[in-house]
Amino acid sequence: MNTFNSIPAITFTDVHKTFKDKEHSVLKGISGTVMQGSLVMMVGPSGSGKSTLLSMCNLLSAPDEGSIEVYGKDISKWNISDLRKKVGIAFQSAPVIDGTVRDNMMLVQKLHGKQDIMPEELCALTGLSPDLLEQDARDLSGGQRQRLSLARTLSNGSDLLLLDEITSALDATSAHEIEQLISHLHKEQNKTIIWVTHNLDQAKRLGEEVWLLMNGVIVEKAKTETFFHTPVKAETKQFIEGAFL
């Protein structure tokens, strides 16, 4: 397990968000800091605001009130292209574009004119066989697609990875392989990782810190062992007990 570094990677300060088609606020004053080199698991019921908070870190959406700082710089002052090189995001669906695996891995270069890590290196980094590079990406298995998605996310050399339910649609074997890959990136590459998951067992095994979001607020955030064994809030205890029944 990494020792937390002293540099904040992301700082949330009183973040609020309301969508026009919602009758209530999605986020209601979120504050907290994710330190460089840490692995934070975000858990909570569906609709609690986890994915919305994650999307803001990559400027897929913006807060209505409050602020988010990425490496000490307010997110509103980042050039979007520069931010997304620094902060990569991967989703549950692991979409692919028409073409080969190589075409998919070179998407960043196609969009932005350059990228930091080439396909052969990305294969080594994510455990994909180089023999797959000329294969049609649509023929990949679910686990292979998720590795490809992570490879695209890493192609800019991102320091911070945002993962949104990336193993929830995979079988147990593929999910375990992806978990091992993320653990390697965290420990060996010192990637900062924020991982949204509904799987509390996964959070307990992999996280260094766990944040519980419910109804748009952070109910509790603590080191993983403390979160699961000696939680402070009654809501946390109830959530853990309910999830493990």
Side-chain angles (χ1 to χ4, degrees):
M1 182 179 292
N2 286 10
T3 301
F4 282 20
N5 296 328
S6 58
I7 302 172
I10 293 187
T11 301
F12 304 100
T13 304
D14 197 26
V15 173
H16 292 254
K17 183 68 177 180
T18 301
F19 292 109
K20 292 181 180 179
D21 59 340
K22 303 287 185 181
E23 295 182 358
H24 62 278
S25 297
V26 178
L27 297 174
K28 309 169 187 175
I30 298 293
S31 294
T33 299
V34 175
M35 303 305 289
Q36 170 65 30
S38 62
L39 197 166
V40 173
M41 307 295 281
M42 287 189 180
V43 301
S46 296
S48 58
K50 304 182 301 297
S51 294
T52 299
L53 187 62
L54 206 68
S55 71
M56 290 181 181
C57 302
N58 197 248
L59 271 182
L60 294 174
S61 63
D64 296 329
E65 298 177 37
S67 66
I68 300 173
E69 291 186 352
V70 176
Y71 294 107
K73 182 178 179 180
D74 191 282
I75 203 163
S76 65
K77 294 180 169 56
W78 276 86
N79 173 278
I80 291 182
S81 179
D82 290 341
L83 176 69
R84 291 178 180 170
K85 289 177 183 177
K86 199 78 172 172
V87 183
I89 191 166
F91 300 99
Q92 172 185 341
S93 58
V96 298
I97 62 168
D98 289 343
T100 65
V101 171
R102 184 185 296 276
D103 292 334
N104 275 262
M105 287 190 178
M106 295 300 291
L107 182 60
V108 169
Q109 178 160 306
K110 183 177 180 180
L111 293 174
H112 301 292
K114 63 177 182 177
Q115 67 185 54
D116 293 339
I117 307 176
M118 293 295 105
E120 289 74 13
E121 296 174 273
L122 289 168
C123 283
L125 196 59
T126 58
L128 272 175
S129 170
D131 295 339
L132 294 173
L133 283 174
E134 308 312 323
Q135 181 173 317
D136 191 321
R138 292 169 297 184
D139 294 334
L140 296 179
S141 68
Q144 288 171 332
R145 281 190 176 214
Q146 199 55 269
R147 287 177 184 270
L148 174 56
S149 177
L150 287 167
R152 280 199 309 250
T153 300
L154 293 166
S155 62
N156 270 326
S158 302
D159 295 321
L160 198 156
L161 303 180
L162 311 172
L163 310 178
D164 195 356
E165 297 285 2
I166 62 166
T167 62
S168 63
L170 302 179
D171 60 74
T173 298
S174 297
H176 179 65
E177 290 174 351
I178 295 299
E179 288 178 358
Q180 288 183 313
L181 168 59
I182 298 304
S183 181
H184 173 79
L185 291 171
H186 171 55
K187 294 175 181 177
E188 304 301 325
Q189 302 286 329
N190 199 37
K191 301 293 185 185
T192 305
I193 296 169
I194 306 176
W195 191 337
V196 167
T197 182
H198 279 96
N199 187 332
L200 282 195
D201 182 60
Q202 185 178 68
K204 188 175 184 179
R205 285 184 288 104
L206 302 176
E208 291 183 343
E209 187 176 352
V210 181
W211 293 16
L212 172 60
L213 274 70
M214 299 180 76
N215 298 315
V217 301
I218 296 177
V219 172
E220 188 157 351
K221 54 179 184 283
K223 296 293 182 66
T224 302
E225 184 173 352
T226 300
F227 182 91
F228 284 102
H229 295 290
T230 55
V232 174
K233 300 293 183 65
E235 297 98 315
T236 307
K237 296 176 184 177
Q238 292 167 0
F239 179 74
I240 294 170
E241 290 168 359
F244 278 117
L245 288 177

